[in-house]
Amino acid sequence: MATMAQAIRLALHHAEREMGVRDIFGQDVGPPLGGVFGVTQGLETAWNTPLDERGIIGTAMGLAMAGQKPICEIQFVDYIFNSIDLMKLAGNSAWNSAGQFPMQMVLMSPTGSGIHGSIYHSHSFEAWAARLNGWKVVMPSDPITAYGLMLAAVEDPNPVLYLIPKALMRVEGKELLPEEPDKKTLKAMIDAPLGDRGEWKPRWPAIPRFITPIGQAHVVRGGEHVSIVSFGRMLWVCLKAAETLQQEGISAEVIDLRSIIPYDWKTISKSILKTGRVMFVNEDTDIVNYGEHLLRRTIDAHFYDLKARPRVLGGEPVPGIGLAETLEDASVPQSGTVVQAARDMMEENT
Amino acid sequence: MATMAQAIRLALHHAEREMGVRDIFGQDVGPPLGGVFGVTQGLETAWNTPLDERGIIGTAMGLAMAGQKPICEIQFVDYIFNSIDLMKLAGNSAWNSAGQFPMQMVLMSPTGSGIHGSIYHSHSFEAWAARLNGWKVVMPSDPITAYGLMLAAVEDPNPVLYLIPKALMRVEGKELLPEEPDKKTLKAMIDAPLGDRGEWKPRWPAIPRFITPIGQAHVVRGGEHVSIVSFGRMLWVCLKAAETLQQEGISAEVIDLRSIIPYDWKTISKSILKTGRVMFVNEDTDIVNYGEHLLRRTIDAHFYDLKARPRVLGGEPVPGIGLAETLEDASVPQSGTVVQAARDMMEENT
Amino acid sequence: MDRALRLQFHDLMVKTRALELRMIAMVRSGDGYFWIGGPGEEAVNVALGLQVRKGEGIDYDYLLLHYRNTGMLMAMGIPLIDPIRLMRSTATDPFTRGRSFSGHYAYKPFNILPVTSPIGTQFGVAPGLALAQKRAGSKGVTIVIGGDAGAAEPDFASGLIWATRPGRELPILFLITDNSLGISTRKDQVWAMEHISDRAKPFGIPTRVIDGNDPEASHAALGEALETVRRTGRPYMIDAKVSRLYGHSSSSGTNLEPGEDPIARYEKKLVDEGIATPGELKAVHERYHAEALAALEQVRLEPFPAPHTLYDHTFVPSPVDLVYGERYFNPNRGD
Amino acid sequence: MDRALRLQFHDLMVKTRALELRMIAMVRSGDGYFWIGGPGEEAVNVALGLQVRKGEGIDYDYLLLHYRNTGMLMAMGIPLIDPIRLMRSTATDPFTRGRSFSGHYAYKPFNILPVTSPIGTQFGVAPGLALAQKRAGSKGVTIVIGGDAGAAEPDFASGLIWATRPGRELPILFLITDNSLGISTRKDQVWAMEHISDRAKPFGIPTRVIDGNDPEASHAALGEALETVRRTGRPYMIDAKVSRLYGHSSSSGTNLEPGEDPIARYEKKLVDEGIATPGELKAVHERYHAEALAALEQVRLEPFPAPHTLYDHTFVPSPVDLVYGERYFNPNRGD
Ligand SMILES: Cc1ncc(C[n+]2csc(CCOP(=O)(O)OP(=O)(O)O)c2C)c(N)n1
Ligand SMILES: Cc1ncc(C[n+]2csc(CCOP(=O)(O)OP(=O)(O)O)c2C)c(N)n1
Ligand SMILES: [Mg+2]
Ligand SMILES: [Mg+2]
């Protein structure tokens, strides 16, 4: 089973071979390293940049305006904050020029906590990203979606931010990519060896193109009592909670949003109408949180349909995530938090 | 009656004279211009910087860590987006160093629409700002509060972002500052002359110190039927709406938040419990909007106390505000929008 | 130098000035909200505009402009009426459809990338365009322009770094238009060096300081620079000293400020050298003054953008997007 | 040179190395999550640390460090156990109380400002500190350190600009520790110049390239630089060539990489010149190895931060804040 890093690498390979991508670039993205998580190992068009996020995004914008479909990486999303102005420009280019200069580019970046990354390698970005009008924002939670979403991101003629939950980078998928070789073979084919990589060349399996559309959520687990909407690493936390809840007789429907902007309101709405109870779970800090937007949409559309107060579970509003495990765990929702919130909702009004 | 620009100037003068401020700086902040809105004319410690927002904020951070209580300006908040990383560092310094290095500084910047500023001079910042954990964020809506909040911002030992609604910069207050000279005298004393300012020196009236505490909202207009929570330029839009509503027999309570982080939940909560209907109005774009956070807090605390669905009115989620008046007006809430929302709330459930 | 070319310099400089003065007057008459432009920079702008390899796409020069380059547009043959449409923010404005400020052009047929207000960002975008050009074997150059004060923004340094990666040098012409002022901040309050272009030297970029008020000298220097970049595929920097005659923008009053007027100077030269008579030169002013006024009168009849156009072009239609794929909307409006 | 000083160089370099190796081992033994540090940079670090005017407040040097400066801390007399506490993220970590990474110090008694991961930002902060020092008539210098790759970040240029405003030059010692690598990116893939410090030249900043693996040469050059900055109140840049012996960080495996070892080289010199015997030198290693191990054993007994300390120090108590004035809380938790 491919890991998420491998799945994205396969997608990037497909993009450079079949979709006209000619630049996959960022800090340490090219040889010899192929990315700090190995995502870009062995790619033909991967290259190393100066240590300059502004230059990376600016160059991607220039390449995009010259029609080159660039894919750039910010090594950790924690380091994107010196370039928000450029992201705003990328997001306004088509609008500002009345359609003359669209900005077809992909910006990918590892996001979120879960690897003891401490204050500068644990940041979430979804709430910030959702405010960048003109950008689309996606985040896979498993390798197969990582593949399909990357192809969609490359194909979409707008700037797409592709957030990778860094803690899932090395997690294997449960579902195989189409025509995926077995695990060992895949590794031997596409993972760079440790040590000297001077002579190494990957052998690429032929994975057929498939697209996970932008704006399509996935009901990962059906349920009747409470809807849990999440994405990325938190999806797995929610699924774990759903199992616990099942044992208590609470049936939770778990939705993987996959696309943050735009998001699949139809699927959320349908679920809310079924269960009457909804909670939005993410690990970004929770004063002005993306889940609060979803809550607002819920209130706008379903205020009178709800059986219990809807919830947002987010990260603690502190300036960073501490290195000590005690601190990291206390900073972001845990499955116990989700379980408790669901129980509370079930007991409300009874 | 002092304008907001004058009131802030008087407060800055007080800060440099009485509170130990030694640097008020930013692009064109020093002589001869004294700021693009004239806010810093004639101040003793005002100086011009390179055209480099990162350098401005970085230097302020350095000065703050050396205990200097700097006040820096970003000329328009539209230009702050290349420095969000630095703002995050300023916000995390005390936390990251376990209290060793607090960051006492004020960053002031004009914000919002209303002066035909088009795409790069109309931006709102409150939702972004509220996410910068470790910062306090305030925004006055009239000159007297502008004075009191500036003194509070200078006094507070944390980084404080002081947002100035640019469209109100030249609007005169209804209330006099304590011991404020009459309008003409004040102008003659502290407004720099047009043309050559080489010889000009201001004469400062003695305005006594007073503080508008951070975290204290102001009920500008009492009412029974619906609570309207706003701040800055939008407050006046809401007050205008409240007058229209009054004529229709709808009594609106209008609250000026003044502090965005932290915000005065007690006052909001009390009002909601009274009216059962609440709307949050601001002009920032409305996907992941600060008003959505207030809505979430409302749902958390008062879901079962509401008589009608609570509302958020924000700006349209597009990449910028267009220059043409038609576009600007359609981009941000107008008093008609507020009136209509209040009417709808009154009719709901009847 | 060719007489026709010299008269063309003059003609285009005067055309540009007439247009700028009309736009300044539009602020006063309420026909526009805000003006920013380049009176005092006509010489270097016209000299450059005439030498751009103009057209659409990778084979042509890409232009990343400052907001004072109206003279380039005139030299490139863009109708005088179009900047007036931008200035009045009409629906007919071909650059932004009423969305952005005067001087902030975007014009695809000539590879004029959107001029963005955040100072300096164009320098960070240039390497991407130039990389695409170089890889395509194009003869196009990426021309990027900025002021003296704005060189303190981060992207100026990024531009230098990315243009000179060893073995991957890029065909970029950097042009600094140095009027020795930010809005009100003097260059000597900020910069340790006399010529900002000195900063390019450690990067091995050839630099040349020119008199940007002299259209002939500017034309020659820019021509040589462009030719060098096209030939070598490597960057070059021109540092042009220019004037700022009507203040920073309409926010600072647009009164005439002290400074050498490149047009007056050139007219003296043309007269002294017997190329034209004062009367002939004056006639050029009058013609463009009238043309600009007539253009404004026409533009006054043109509509403003309809409010509902607000959402247009936020996203390009996408076949892989199930929500915003065909049409963008405000999710909070419940559509 | 003084024999005692030479032995002190050696002692501190070895102490630093023993500490670094212990911290590397801590990742493998599960006593810490992440290591980053400076094996290969001991010489220049020790040489600088010994000459810092150390203390708290404006009268002393301010230190804006890179994450490879553990050697400076050792030379300044910070107990060896404290970096181990940081590495293990215990509640006893005096720098961050378990919040930040190894190498990311913050220590008020010695004016060590918080080391922040976002590369380069320290260069933009330095001018504020130096301005305060200069204005106070302090003899303190602001010392700011960064790597070769990181000089591509915007703040490096900001630092140069703000340090050299005419008539307002600032007492900043810039130190580049050039190991010719970013994480995996070679300097020659990025930089057009051999010495990054060439970029300071157009700003009129004196620069000096030194062998950062030689403690004596480093000591002399840094001493001279510091003295010059203290005397003139103007900036100076040292460009020190150093080694990176155990890879970028624990993420890249911490295997020994090729490169000159400043300690081995210095030991050879000390032996050759009869300053010490191999046995004496080896004993120093053994002593610090044991000390580092004992320190870890003690630190293992120390507690991790309690979860509720999460909120501590988000805000400093404020007399003018009615909501967060005394205590910060999560508004969404309803307290
Ligand atoms: C990032 C950013 N900061 C501030 C401003 C406000 N501003 C507009 S023009 C200007 C001065 C520009 O000076 P210079 O680069 O020399 O260009 P000039 O106007 O003199 O041609 C400033 C500060 C801006 N537009 N963008
Ligand atoms: C803004 C930012 N971008 C990227 C990173 C990730 N990163 C950490 S260290 C490093 C390389 C730094 O190289 P250099 O400046 O030469 O210092 P060295 O590690 O070689 O001492 C990178 C890319 C970061 N920490 N901050
Ligand atoms: Mg200028
Ligand atoms: Mg390095």
Side-chain angles (χ1 to χ4, degrees):
Chain A
M1 313 285 176
T3 62
M4 191 178 288
Q6 288 175 322
I8 298 174
R9 198 186 310 147
L10 289 165
L12 293 173
H13 169 70
H14 183 89
E16 64 183 12
R17 269 296 167 78
E18 310 288 343
M19 298 171 81
V21 166
R22 308 189 59 176
D23 300 276
I24 299 170
F25 61 107
Q27 293 154 15
D28 307 294
V29 157
L33 194 60
V36 289
F37 291 98
V39 166
T40 51
Q41 283 172 0
L43 296 170
E44 274 167 49
T45 62
W47 52 277
N48 288 337
T49 67
L51 208 178
D52 174 15
E53 288 75 17
R54 298 185 63 76
I56 292 169
I57 298 179
T59 297
M61 290 166 64
L63 285 164
M65 291 200 282
Q68 309 286 298
K69 301 190 190 174
I71 300 177
C72 67
E73 178 179 273
I74 297 298
Q75 197 165 70
F76 290 90
V77 88
D78 308 64
Y79 301 130
I80 208 166
F81 291 93
N82 62 10
S83 303
I84 304 295
D85 60 325
L86 297 176
M87 295 193 74
K88 287 175 71 74
L89 296 186
N92 80 22
S93 181
W95 187 89
N96 176 35
S97 64
Q100 295 182 88
F101 291 101
M103 194 64 84
Q104 180 167 9
M105 59 183 272
V106 177
L107 193 167
M108 61 180 186
S109 192
T111 187
S113 71
I115 60 159
H116 304 295
S118 110
I119 174 167
Y120 300 111
H121 298 78
S122 301
H123 219 92
S124 291
F125 194 61
E126 53 263 30
W128 305 95
R131 289 191 47 72
L132 291 165
N133 294 309
W135 282 79
K136 300 182 181 180
V137 185
V138 300
M139 193 186 320
S141 65
D142 60 2
I144 189 163
T145 315
Y147 185 95
L149 273 179
M150 180 55 85
L151 265 48
V154 173
E155 183 109 338
D156 197 286
N158 297 284
V160 179
L161 177 66
Y162 185 99
L163 294 171
I164 314 176
K166 67 173 83 74
L168 302 182
M169 204 66 97
R170 284 163 189 152
V171 176
E172 289 170 23
K174 296 197 177 142
E175 236 175 303
L176 285 176
L177 304 184
E179 301 179 30
E180 181 183 323
D182 72 81
K183 184 171 152 179
K184 258 179 110 171
T185 311
L186 182 66
K187 189 175 166 49
M189 291 175 82
I190 70 165
D191 281 5
L194 293 178
D196 186 16
R197 297 169 176 182
E199 297 297 290
W200 175 72
K201 282 250 165 338
R203 288 170 302 122
W204 295 103
I207 306 291
R209 167 192 162 98
F210 75 90
I211 294 255
T212 303
I214 293 176
Q216 189 179 57
H218 178 217
V219 182
V220 183
R221 180 185 174 118
E224 302 300 320
H225 298 135
V226 51
S227 307
I228 305 180
V229 181
S230 191
F231 46 81
R233 182 174 83 86
M234 279 293 129
L235 180 80
W236 299 97
V237 172
C238 295
L239 283 169
K240 195 176 153 203
E243 274 176 31
T244 310
L245 289 166
Q246 190 66 50
Q247 288 158 20
E248 302 178 9
I250 299 174
S251 153
E253 176 145 306
V254 180
I255 296 175
D256 182 2
L257 218 43
R258 293 177 166 177
S259 287
I260 290 169
I261 297 289
Y263 53 88
D264 182 353
W265 175 246
K266 278 193 194 133
T267 297
I268 300 173
S269 174
K270 202 172 133 195
S271 184
I272 293 174
L273 285 174
K274 175 166 67 172
T275 63
R277 298 180 191 85
V278 65
M279 112 177 74
F280 301 102
V281 186
N282 66 71
E283 57 175 316
D284 206 345
T285 52
D286 80 349
I287 297 181
V288 188
N289 174 292
Y290 173 66
E292 292 177 342
H293 170 70
L294 297 176
L295 181 88
R296 175 254 179 98
R297 185 97 188 250
T298 302
I299 295 299
D300 277 1
H302 297 305
F303 185 62
Y304 296 107
D305 304 320
L306 295 166
K307 294 190 191 141
R309 174 171 68 80
R311 262 66 165 181
V312 175
L313 303 189
E316 296 299 303
V318 287
I321 287 187
L323 177 59
E325 193 157 42
T326 45
L327 298 176
E328 177 162 354
D329 287 354
S331 299
V332 293
Q334 305 292 324
S335 73
T337 339
V338 177
V339 167
Q340 192 53 50
R343 281 185 198 137
D344 291 349
M345 288 174 92
M346 292 307 293
E347 273 165 36
E348 222 170 83
N349 299 325
T350 57
Chain B
M1 314 281 177
T3 63
M4 191 178 287
Q6 288 175 322
I8 299 173
R9 198 186 310 148
L10 289 166
L12 293 173
H13 169 71
H14 183 89
E16 64 183 11
R17 270 295 168 77
E18 310 289 343
M19 299 172 80
V21 166
R22 306 188 60 175
D23 300 276
I24 300 171
F25 61 107
Q27 293 155 16
D28 306 294
V29 157
L33 194 60
V36 288
F37 292 97
V39 167
T40 51
Q41 285 173 0
L43 295 169
E44 272 167 50
T45 62
W47 52 277
N48 289 337
T49 66
L51 208 178
D52 174 16
E53 288 75 18
R54 298 184 62 76
I56 292 169
I57 298 179
T59 297
M61 290 166 64
L63 285 164
M65 292 200 282
Q68 308 286 299
K69 302 191 191 173
I71 301 178
C72 68
E73 178 180 273
I74 297 298
Q75 198 166 70
F76 290 90
V77 86
D78 307 64
Y79 301 131
I80 209 166
F81 291 93
N82 61 11
S83 304
I84 304 295
D85 61 324
L86 296 177
M87 295 192 75
K88 286 174 71 74
L89 297 186
N92 80 22
S93 180
W95 187 89
N96 177 35
S97 64
Q100 294 182 89
F101 292 101
M103 193 64 82
Q104 180 167 8
M105 61 183 271
V106 177
L107 193 167
M108 62 180 183
S109 192
T111 186
S113 71
I115 61 159
H116 304 294
S118 111
I119 175 167
Y120 300 111
H121 299 78
S122 301
H123 218 93
S124 291
F125 195 62
E126 52 263 30
W128 305 95
R131 289 191 47 71
L132 291 164
N133 294 310
W135 282 79
K136 301 183 181 180
V137 185
V138 300
M139 192 186 320
S141 66
D142 60 2
I144 189 164
T145 315
Y147 185 95
L149 274 179
M150 179 55 84
L151 265 48
V154 173
E155 183 109 340
D156 197 287
N158 297 285
V160 179
L161 177 65
Y162 184 99
L163 294 171
I164 313 176
K166 67 173 84 72
L168 301 183
M169 204 65 98
R170 284 163 190 152
V171 176
E172 288 172 23
K174 295 197 178 140
E175 237 176 302
L176 286 175
L177 305 183
E179 300 179 32
E180 182 183 322
D182 72 82
K183 184 172 151 177
K184 260 180 107 172
T185 311
L186 182 65
K187 189 174 166 50
M189 291 175 81
I190 70 165
D191 281 5
L194 293 177
D196 186 15
R197 297 170 175 181
E199 297 299 291
W200 176 70
K201 282 246 163 348
R203 288 170 302 123
W204 296 104
I207 307 290
R209 167 191 162 99
F210 75 90
I211 294 253
T212 303
I214 293 176
Q216 189 179 57
H218 178 216
V219 182
V220 183
R221 180 185 176 120
E224 302 300 320
H225 299 135
V226 51
S227 307
I228 305 180
V229 181
S230 191
F231 46 81
R233 183 175 81 85
M234 279 293 130
L235 180 80
W236 299 96
V237 171
C238 295
L239 283 170
K240 197 177 151 203
E243 276 179 29
T244 309
L245 289 167
Q246 190 65 50
Q247 287 158 21
E248 302 178 10
I250 300 174
S251 153
E253 177 147 305
V254 180
I255 297 175
D256 182 4
L257 218 43
R258 292 178 166 175
S259 287
I260 291 169
I261 297 288
Y263 54 88
D264 181 353
W265 174 247
K266 278 193 196 134
T267 297
I268 301 174
S269 174
K270 203 171 131 195
S271 184
I272 293 174
L273 285 174
K274 177 166 67 170
T275 64
R277 298 180 190 85
V278 65
M279 109 177 74
F280 301 102
V281 185
N282 66 69
E283 56 175 318
D284 206 346
T285 53
D286 78 350
I287 297 181
V288 187
N289 175 293
Y290 173 66
E292 293 176 341
H293 170 71
L294 296 177
L295 181 89
R296 176 254 179 100
R297 185 97 187 250
T298 301
I299 295 299
D300 276 1
H302 297 306
F303 186 62
Y304 296 106
D305 303 320
L306 295 166
K307 294 189 192 140
R309 173 171 69 81
R311 260 72 165 177
V312 175
L313 303 188
E316 296 299 304
V318 287
I321 286 188
L323 177 59
E325 195 158 39
T326 46
L327 298 176
E328 177 162 355
D329 287 354
S331 300
V332 293
Q334 305 293 323
S335 73
T337 338
V338 177
V339 168
Q340 192 55 50
R343 282 185 199 137
D344 291 349
M345 288 173 92
M346 293 305 293
E347 273 164 35
E348 223 168 82
N349 299 325
T350 55
Chain C
M1 185 171 274
D2 185 49
R3 181 171 180 271
L5 183 58
R6 296 174 81 175
L7 288 175
Q8 193 184 12
F9 288 156
H10 177 261
D11 183 90
L12 289 167
M13 287 165 68
V14 171
K15 183 175 186 178
T16 305
R17 179 69 57 86
L19 170 57
E20 295 278 22
L21 293 179
R22 176 50 51 205
M23 292 195 289
I24 289 174
M26 284 174 70
V27 180
R28 301 193 178 150
S29 64
D31 285 298
Y33 300 116
F34 177 80
W35 167 84
I36 193 161
E41 298 198 5
E42 290 89 350
V44 68
N45 269 282
V46 163
L48 179 54
L50 285 172
Q51 299 182 88
V52 167
R53 197 178 146 100
K54 75 182 181 199
E56 180 177 338
I58 208 162
D59 292 330
Y60 300 90
D61 292 349
Y62 282 116
L63 304 181
L64 287 159
L65 305 185
H66 196 42
Y67 43 70
R68 302 202 192 277
N69 300 121
T70 299
M72 275 186 77
L73 271 74
M74 292 301 102
M76 292 172 75
I78 286 179
L80 177 149
I81 195 170
D82 282 340
I84 291 182
R85 292 181 162 125
L86 175 64
M87 177 74 200
R88 201 175 143 83
S89 63
T90 57
T92 54
D93 147 27
F95 308 111
T96 79
R97 305 275 168 214
R99 288 171 177 186
S100 198
F101 273 161
S102 74
H104 290 59
Y105 302 109
Y107 195 64
K108 194 169 161 94
F110 286 172
N111 277 353
I112 300 177
L113 288 308
V115 175
T116 56
S117 290
I119 295 282
T121 55
Q122 65 273 27
F123 290 107
V125 173
L129 291 156
L131 170 57
Q133 285 172 318
K134 187 159 191 172
R135 181 158 64 197
S138 150
K139 278 282 153 256
V141 164
T142 294
I143 299 171
V144 58
I145 309 181
D148 50 305
E153 286 288 359
D155 308 286
F156 184 78
S158 293
L160 300 178
I161 296 169
W162 288 69
T164 57
R165 292 185 303 135
R168 297 179 168 81
E169 294 81 2
L170 296 174
I172 300 178
L173 174 65
F174 293 91
L175 171 61
I176 301 176
T177 46
D178 175 4
N179 57 17
S180 78
L181 280 166
I183 292 179
S184 70
T185 304
R186 293 193 326 270
K187 196 172 105 183
D188 65 8
Q189 292 183 300
V190 171
W191 291 106
M193 66 283 285
E194 169 70 14
H195 304 301
I196 310 289
S197 50
D198 287 352
R199 289 181 63 195
K201 290 183 175 163
F203 293 87
I205 298 177
T207 66
R208 183 152 165 201
V209 176
I210 69 169
D211 177 355
N213 283 346
D214 179 343
E216 297 177 11
S218 295
H219 191 266
L222 286 162
E224 205 177 301
L226 278 168
E227 191 278 321
T228 308
V229 179
R230 284 192 220 289
R231 182 168 40 78
T232 61
R234 288 164 168 265
Y236 197 112
M237 185 176 285
I238 296 272
D239 188 338
K241 308 305 174 189
V242 297
S243 300
R244 193 187 80 176
L245 295 179
Y246 288 84
H248 175 72
S249 72
S250 55
S251 299
S252 40
T254 59
N255 293 317
L256 198 61
E257 288 187 1
E260 181 185 61
D261 182 344
I263 298 181
R265 168 175 147 188
Y266 199 52
E267 292 187 338
K268 183 166 183 311
K269 180 169 173 176
L270 293 179
V271 171
D272 285 354
E273 298 186 11
I275 308 289
T277 67
E280 283 162 356
L281 299 177
K282 195 168 162 226
V284 180
H285 285 268
E286 282 161 4
R287 188 169 77 247
Y288 285 121
H289 177 78
E291 191 183 320
L293 191 59
L296 171 59
E297 272 158 18
Q298 164 163 349
V299 172
R300 282 200 181 122
L301 304 175
E302 296 173 355
F304 292 110
H308 68 80
T309 64
L310 193 63
Y311 277 90
D312 296 353
H313 307 297
T314 297
F315 288 106
V316 179
S318 162
V320 295
D321 180 336
L322 301 187
V323 181
Y324 292 164
E326 287 172 25
R327 177 179 83 84
Y328 178 57
F329 57 92
N330 181 348
N332 297 323
R333 292 285 137 80
D335 30 355
Chain D
M1 185 171 275
D2 184 50
R3 182 170 180 273
L5 182 59
R6 297 175 82 174
L7 288 175
Q8 192 184 12
F9 288 155
H10 177 261
D11 183 272
L12 288 168
M13 286 166 68
V14 171
K15 181 175 187 179
T16 305
R17 178 69 58 85
L19 170 57
E20 296 279 21
L21 293 178
R22 176 50 51 207
M23 292 195 287
I24 289 173
M26 284 173 70
V27 180
R28 302 193 178 149
S29 63
D31 285 298
Y33 300 116
F34 177 80
W35 167 85
I36 193 161
E41 298 197 5
E42 290 90 350
V44 68
N45 269 283
V46 163
L48 180 53
L50 284 173
Q51 299 181 89
V52 167
R53 198 179 146 98
K54 74 182 182 199
E56 179 175 339
I58 207 161
D59 292 330
Y60 300 91
D61 292 349
Y62 283 117
L63 304 181
L64 288 158
L65 304 185
H66 194 43
Y67 43 71
R68 302 202 192 276
N69 300 122
T70 299
M72 274 185 78
L73 270 73
M74 292 301 103
M76 292 171 75
I78 286 179
L80 178 150
I81 194 170
D82 283 339
I84 290 181
R85 293 181 162 124
L86 176 64
M87 177 74 199
R88 201 174 142 83
S89 62
T90 56
T92 53
D93 147 28
F95 309 112
T96 79
R97 304 277 166 214
R99 290 172 176 186
S100 198
F101 273 160
S102 73
H104 291 59
Y105 302 109
Y107 196 64
K108 196 171 161 90
F110 287 172
N111 277 353
I112 300 178
L113 287 309
V115 175
T116 57
S117 291
I119 295 281
T121 55
Q122 66 274 27
F123 290 107
V125 174
L129 291 156
L131 170 56
Q133 285 171 318
K134 186 157 191 173
R135 181 159 62 198
S138 149
K139 278 283 154 252
V141 164
T142 295
I143 299 172
V144 58
I145 309 181
D148 51 305
E153 287 287 0
D155 308 287
F156 185 77
S158 293
L160 300 178
I161 296 169
W162 289 69
T164 57
R165 292 186 304 137
R168 297 179 167 82
E169 294 80 2
L170 295 174
I172 301 178
L173 175 65
F174 293 91
L175 171 60
I176 301 176
T177 45
D178 176 5
N179 58 16
S180 79
L181 281 165
I183 291 179
S184 70
T185 303
R186 294 193 324 271
K187 195 171 107 185
D188 65 8
Q189 293 183 300
V190 170
W191 291 106
M193 68 282 287
E194 169 71 14
H195 303 302
I196 309 289
S197 50
D198 287 351
R199 289 182 62 196
K201 290 183 175 164
F203 293 86
I205 299 177
T207 65
R208 184 153 165 199
V209 176
I210 68 168
D211 177 354
N213 282 346
D214 179 343
E216 296 176 11
S218 296
H219 192 265
L222 286 162
E224 205 179 300
L226 278 168
E227 191 278 319
T228 306
V229 179
R230 284 192 219 289
R231 183 169 39 78
T232 63
R234 289 165 168 266
Y236 197 114
M237 185 177 285
I238 296 271
D239 188 339
K241 309 304 173 188
V242 296
S243 301
R244 192 186 79 177
L245 296 179
Y246 289 83
H248 175 71
S249 72
S250 55
S251 298
S252 41
T254 58
N255 293 318
L256 198 61
E257 289 187 1
E260 180 184 64
D261 182 345
I263 297 181
R265 169 174 145 188
Y266 199 52
E267 292 187 338
K268 183 165 183 310
K269 179 168 175 177
L270 293 180
V271 172
D272 286 353
E273 298 186 11
I275 308 289
T277 67
E280 283 163 355
L281 298 177
K282 194 164 165 233
V284 180
H285 286 267
E286 282 161 4
R287 188 170 78 249
Y288 285 121
H289 177 79
E291 190 182 320
L293 190 59
L296 171 60
E297 272 158 18
Q298 164 162 348
V299 172
R300 282 199 181 121
L301 305 175
E302 296 173 354
F304 293 111
H308 68 80
T309 64
L310 193 62
Y311 277 91
D312 295 354
H313 308 296
T314 297
F315 289 105
V316 180
S318 162
V320 294
D321 180 336
L322 301 186
V323 180
Y324 292 165
E326 286 171 26
R327 176 179 84 84
Y328 178 58
F329 57 92
N330 181 347
N332 298 322
R333 292 286 137 81
D335 30 353

